[in-house]
Amino acid sequence: MEVILKNLTKKFPSRDKKKHEDVIAVNDFDFVIPDGKLIGLLGPSGCGKSTTLNLISGLQKPTSGQIFFGDDDVTNLPPENRGIGLVFQNYALYPHLTVRQNITFPLENLKGKDKLTKEQMNEKALEVAKMVQIDELMDRKPGELSGGQQQRVAIARALVKMPRVLLLDEPLSNLDARLRLQTREEIRRIQKETKITTIFVTHDQEEAMSISDMIVVMKEGVVHQIGKPQEVYDKPINLFVAKFLGTPPISVFEGKVRENKLYIGDDAVLDIAGVPNKDVYVGIRPEGFDLKEDGPLCCALRGVEVMGRDSSVIASHSACLNEVIRAIIDTDTAVDAEGDQVRFALAPHKVHLFDKETEARIDFESR
Ligand code: ADP
Ligand code: MG
């Protein structure tokens, strides 16, 4: 089911006594979520992710704009008539009901021709329970399950009516690191199996990047960029998106373009073309630093961390806005960890320039 947001806006009255302006939690969202895909809504806390999801589910009413599921205008439909499945961070299971009863709960209220017998309900519950691999736990109560198992029950409950759209709001945030990884792979698998259009909200860029077909990067109620995770990573539209995506983070330097050379401090670090002389921010991805004895970018060496396949070279530079620079190199490359300096050449496609005023990315050609 395609989900179409048309000029969708949600304003809240200010809760700040000194500032009376409305909070625009969702500002003119206008995009299409393609049928059968998993979309990650990504941004820092307070950027309007939950509000967006609540508008799509019908738990909140938009200030203006429309929502369509396919050709169906659902803007004014109550949540129970939209055909959605919802999963929240805190599972929200009924503690006094068994797993089976929790899963069949959404089926109990079906009326008329949709009404199901007890056997039919249990059959459907078992089907989705198998899908999320909790079919052995049907007679337990939520209190007798681990966090990961409880979240699987919540997912099964959201799936049991075969919703048109599945909405997940930070569903992994309460799980420990290992379970989080495992459960996100499960969600991906289930989504691929069922092909239900799924909107997955998270503030964790790595989580969003790893499972989404498409990510929507937002900040303060505004959509900054929409695209495939790798595309957004490789071509961030502005400095905010560049800094928000990637671990370790991109290193940002004060720089300038003079006569087709890019400077960081007094060092000409790259030959480029297509950019007039101006001051810029230079963002360099951790994999964009190549250790080289005669490399043009000279940094102070702070240390080397070896982690399995890769090493991190930790360095600093007076023109760098990050506290430390983290460069990822493969462990075969020897680093003189005793030295106090380290020199890098830069991989041009891992270097991004940003306008100092607008912070928009500036395209350049490397030579
Ligand atoms: P996120 O889920 O990305 O953390 P939210 O959608 O919860 O963000 O919130 C977006 C903004 O809207 C925040 O500034 C938040 O304080 C504000 N907000 C959310 N819900 C309400 C509400 N019911 N009343 C007033 N302000 C709200
Ligand atoms: Mg939220």
Side-chain angles (χ1 to χ4, degrees):
M1 179 62 57
E2 194 176 61
V3 176
I4 302 154
L5 308 185
K6 275 202 172 151
N7 306 111
L8 195 67
T9 296
K10 178 69 178 178
K11 296 181 185 171
F12 292 111
S14 171
R15 284 189 284 206
D16 187 338
K17 288 209 175 75
K18 291 192 198 109
K19 250 175 65 187
H20 293 288
E21 278 163 51
D22 287 349
V23 175
I24 309 179
V26 173
N27 195 344
D28 199 21
F29 279 20
D30 204 65
F31 57 88
V32 176
I33 296 164
D35 179 34
K37 300 288 187 204
L38 194 158
I39 302 310
L41 280 189
L42 173 65
S45 176
C47 73
K49 304 179 296 293
S50 294
T51 306
T52 308
L53 216 65
N54 293 343
L55 294 174
I56 297 171
S57 70
L59 293 176
Q60 289 181 326
K61 283 225 168 297
T63 308
S64 58
Q66 286 172 294
I67 303 161
F68 292 85
F69 287 2
D71 296 330
D72 204 359
D73 183 347
V74 301
T75 316
N76 295 311
L77 280 186
E80 59 273 20
N81 297 346
R82 292 193 182 194
I84 46 152
L86 272 173
V87 179
F88 298 102
Q89 175 176 345
N90 57 359
Y91 328 133
L93 301 174
Y94 301 107
H96 57 289
L97 301 183
T98 63
V99 167
R100 182 182 294 101
Q101 289 165 331
N102 265 286
I103 300 175
T104 55
F105 193 84
L107 303 174
E108 303 275 355
N109 313 327
L110 294 174
K111 300 254 155 48
K113 65 172 174 46
D114 295 330
K115 196 169 164 53
L116 300 176
T117 64
K118 196 103 217 140
E119 285 70 43
Q120 287 170 318
M121 286 191 233
N122 287 343
E123 207 174 295
K124 279 189 187 285
L126 187 62
E127 198 181 310
V128 286
K130 278 188 178 149
M131 207 185 281
V132 300
Q133 295 169 352
I134 48 161
D135 48 307
E136 310 275 301
L137 309 172
M138 297 299 261
D139 295 310
R140 292 214 201 160
K141 300 259 173 75
E144 299 163 336
L145 303 176
S146 71
Q149 290 167 334
Q150 291 187 50
Q151 195 55 302
R152 283 160 195 256
V153 178
I155 295 169
R157 184 180 56 184
L159 287 173
V160 75
K161 272 183 163 175
M162 280 299 144
R164 301 200 281 179
V165 182
L166 180 62
L167 305 169
L168 308 157
D169 193 348
E170 311 248 9
L172 309 178
S173 299
N174 280 3
L175 306 181
D176 65 46
R178 204 174 53 84
L179 261 179
R180 200 151 61 218
L181 218 69
Q182 190 188 342
T183 313
R184 90 180 183 207
E185 279 158 22
E186 287 285 285
I187 290 175
R188 186 54 173 154
R189 177 182 60 76
I190 294 161
Q191 194 277 328
K192 282 198 159 149
E193 267 174 42
T194 58
K195 298 196 175 66
I196 296 173
T197 306
T198 300
I199 306 174
F200 183 101
V201 161
T202 178
H203 63 275
D204 180 333
Q205 56 88 24
E206 195 189 334
E207 198 167 283
M209 299 267 287
S210 64
I211 69 167
S212 309
D213 293 303
M214 184 172 117
I215 56 172
V216 177
V217 187
M218 30 195 293
K219 181 190 173 190
E220 293 170 5
V222 175
V223 170
H224 280 241
Q225 191 166 7
I226 301 176
K228 291 190 178 138
Q230 194 64 41
E231 283 171 11
V232 179
Y233 182 82
D234 289 337
K235 283 193 175 269
I237 196 159
N238 58 30
L239 186 59
F240 164 71
V241 175
K243 283 161 77 172
F244 198 70
L245 298 187
T247 33
I250 196 165
S251 296
V252 182
F253 299 80
E254 303 259 12
K256 63 189 179 201
V257 179
R258 296 287 183 270
E259 314 308 332
N260 291 330
K261 283 188 191 302
L262 174 65
Y263 288 84
I264 290 177
D266 294 326
D267 301 322
V269 293
L270 217 54
D271 289 332
I272 63 171
V275 184
N277 291 352
K278 58 155 96 186
D279 291 357
V280 292
Y281 290 120
V282 184
I284 306 172
R285 292 285 183 204
E287 64 277 23
F289 295 93
D290 289 331
L291 272 179
K292 223 172 182 183
E293 259 172 52
D294 59 349
L297 182 65
C298 182
C299 299
L301 181 63
R302 296 273 198 91
V304 179
E305 285 174 7
V306 181
M307 302 159 300
R309 196 163 38 88
D310 303 317
S311 305
S312 273
V313 174
I314 302 168
S316 60
H317 189 287
S318 60
C320 187
L321 303 176
N322 307 46
E323 196 161 323
V324 292
I325 300 161
R326 278 180 181 274
I328 303 282
I329 54 168
D330 62 52
T331 38
D332 300 339
T333 318
V335 189
D336 176 11
E338 299 304 309
D340 52 8
Q341 277 191 353
V342 63
R343 301 191 80 95
F344 297 108
L346 304 179
H349 64 291
K350 294 291 179 184
V351 175
H352 301 297
L353 306 187
F354 302 96
D355 187 284
K356 272 235 158 140
E357 258 90 68
T358 65
E359 301 193 350
R361 196 187 72 244
I362 303 167
D363 278 321
F364 67 90
E365 292 154 39
S366 66
R367 297 188 304 156

